[in-house]
Amino acid sequence: MQRPTRPLFPDHKFDFGDPAWVVPIQQGGTIEAIWYRQNDDAWLYRLTGLSQPEKWWHEEKLENACPDCGCSWSGMKTCQCGRSPDE
Protein backbone atom coordinates (compact mmCIF):
# COMPACT_ATOMS: atom_id res chain seq x y z
CA MET A 1 0.00 0.00 0.00
CA GLN A 2 1.44 3.37 -0.99
CA ARG A 3 1.35 6.26 1.43
CA PRO A 4 -0.15 9.49 0.16
CA THR A 5 2.49 11.59 1.94
CA ARG A 6 6.11 11.25 2.99
CA PRO A 7 6.52 9.33 6.28
CA LEU A 8 7.26 11.37 9.38
CA PHE A 9 10.11 9.00 10.30
CA PRO A 10 11.66 7.72 7.06
CA ASP A 11 13.50 4.66 8.43
CA HIS A 12 10.53 2.70 9.71
CA LYS A 13 7.67 0.71 8.22
CA PHE A 14 4.58 2.31 9.80
CA ASP A 15 3.37 5.85 10.52
CA PHE A 16 0.78 7.36 12.87
CA GLY A 17 -2.72 6.30 11.85
CA ASP A 18 -1.61 3.32 9.75
CA PRO A 19 -3.57 0.09 10.14
CA ALA A 20 -1.42 -2.82 11.34
CA TRP A 21 -1.89 -6.50 12.22
CA VAL A 22 -0.16 -7.79 15.36
CA VAL A 23 0.93 -11.34 14.51
CA PRO A 24 1.47 -12.74 18.06
CA ILE A 25 -2.06 -11.87 19.21
CA GLN A 26 -3.78 -12.07 15.78
CA GLN A 27 -5.46 -8.65 16.12
CA GLY A 28 -5.55 -5.51 14.04
CA GLY A 29 -5.32 -1.94 15.25
CA THR A 30 -4.16 1.56 14.37
CA ILE A 31 -0.70 2.97 15.09
CA GLU A 32 -1.05 5.64 17.79
CA ALA A 33 2.53 5.95 19.07
CA ILE A 34 6.01 5.31 17.68
CA TRP A 35 9.20 4.87 19.69
CA TYR A 36 12.74 4.30 18.48
CA ARG A 37 14.66 2.32 21.09
CA GLN A 38 18.26 3.23 20.36
CA ASN A 39 19.98 0.56 22.48
CA ASP A 40 18.19 -2.18 20.44
CA ASP A 41 18.16 -0.23 17.17
CA ALA A 42 14.47 -1.11 16.99
CA TRP A 43 11.21 0.63 16.17
CA LEU A 44 8.32 -0.08 18.54
CA TYR A 45 4.66 0.78 18.10
CA ARG A 46 1.58 1.12 20.28
CA LEU A 47 -1.79 0.50 18.65
CA THR A 48 -5.38 1.40 19.49
CA GLY A 49 -8.13 -1.19 19.19
CA LEU A 50 -6.22 -4.10 20.73
CA SER A 51 -6.93 -6.24 23.78
CA GLN A 52 -3.48 -5.16 25.06
CA PRO A 53 -3.46 -1.41 24.19
CA GLU A 54 -0.65 -0.46 26.59
CA LYS A 55 1.88 -2.89 25.08
CA TRP A 56 4.64 -1.77 22.70
CA TRP A 57 5.18 -4.06 19.67
CA HIS A 58 8.41 -4.53 17.71
CA GLU A 59 8.14 -3.66 14.03
CA GLU A 60 8.91 -7.24 12.96
CA LYS A 61 5.80 -8.44 14.85
CA LEU A 62 3.52 -6.22 12.71
CA GLU A 63 2.12 -6.64 9.21
CA ASN A 64 0.19 -4.31 6.93
CA ALA A 65 -3.55 -4.45 7.52
CA CYS A 66 -6.73 -3.48 5.72
CA PRO A 67 -7.84 0.05 6.73
CA ASP A 68 -11.50 -1.04 6.60
CA CYS A 69 -11.63 -4.30 8.57
CA GLY A 70 -8.14 -4.46 10.14
CA CYS A 71 -7.30 -7.94 8.81
CA SER A 72 -3.77 -8.85 7.79
CA TRP A 73 -2.87 -8.42 4.13
CA SER A 74 0.15 -10.71 4.37
CA GLY A 75 0.03 -13.03 1.37
CA MET A 76 -3.54 -12.09 0.49
CA LYS A 77 -4.95 -10.66 -2.72
CA THR A 78 -8.05 -9.42 -0.88
CA CYS A 79 -9.06 -9.30 2.76
CA GLN A 80 -12.26 -10.54 4.40
CA CYS A 81 -14.14 -7.37 3.47
CA GLY A 82 -13.10 -7.70 -0.19
CA ARG A 83 -10.69 -4.76 -0.36
CA SER A 84 -7.39 -5.21 -2.21
CA PRO A 85 -3.97 -4.01 -0.93
CA ASP A 86 -3.47 -2.43 -4.37
CA GLU A 87 -6.42 -0.02 -4.00
Side-chain angles (χ1 to χ4, degrees):
M1 177 170 57
Q2 297 229 347
R3 293 190 183 146
T5 59
R6 184 181 169 128
L8 186 58
F9 301 107
D11 295 333
H12 67 82
K13 186 175 177 182
F14 298 97
D15 261 330
F16 298 104
D18 283 353
W21 181 258
V22 183
V23 176
I25 62 170
Q26 296 292 293
Q27 291 182 347
T30 304
I31 303 293
E32 72 167 354
I34 302 170
W35 173 34
Y36 177 69
R37 194 160 60 188
Q38 202 168 12
N39 60 338
D40 291 342
D41 189 27
W43 288 101
L44 293 101
Y45 302 86
R46 197 170 59 213
L47 290 79
T48 59
L50 301 178
S51 60
Q52 301 174 19
E54 71 287 344
K55 186 168 173 75
W56 289 88
W57 297 96
H58 279 263
E59 188 171 71
E60 64 269 4
K61 302 291 184 186
L62 304 178
E63 296 177 347
N64 289 326
C66 174
D68 292 337
C69 69
C71 290
S72 172
W73 268 340
S74 177
M76 297 178 73
K77 297 210 186 297
T78 60
C79 66
Q80 292 177 0
C81 72
R83 188 166 177 176
S84 167
D86 299 326
E87 290 179 16

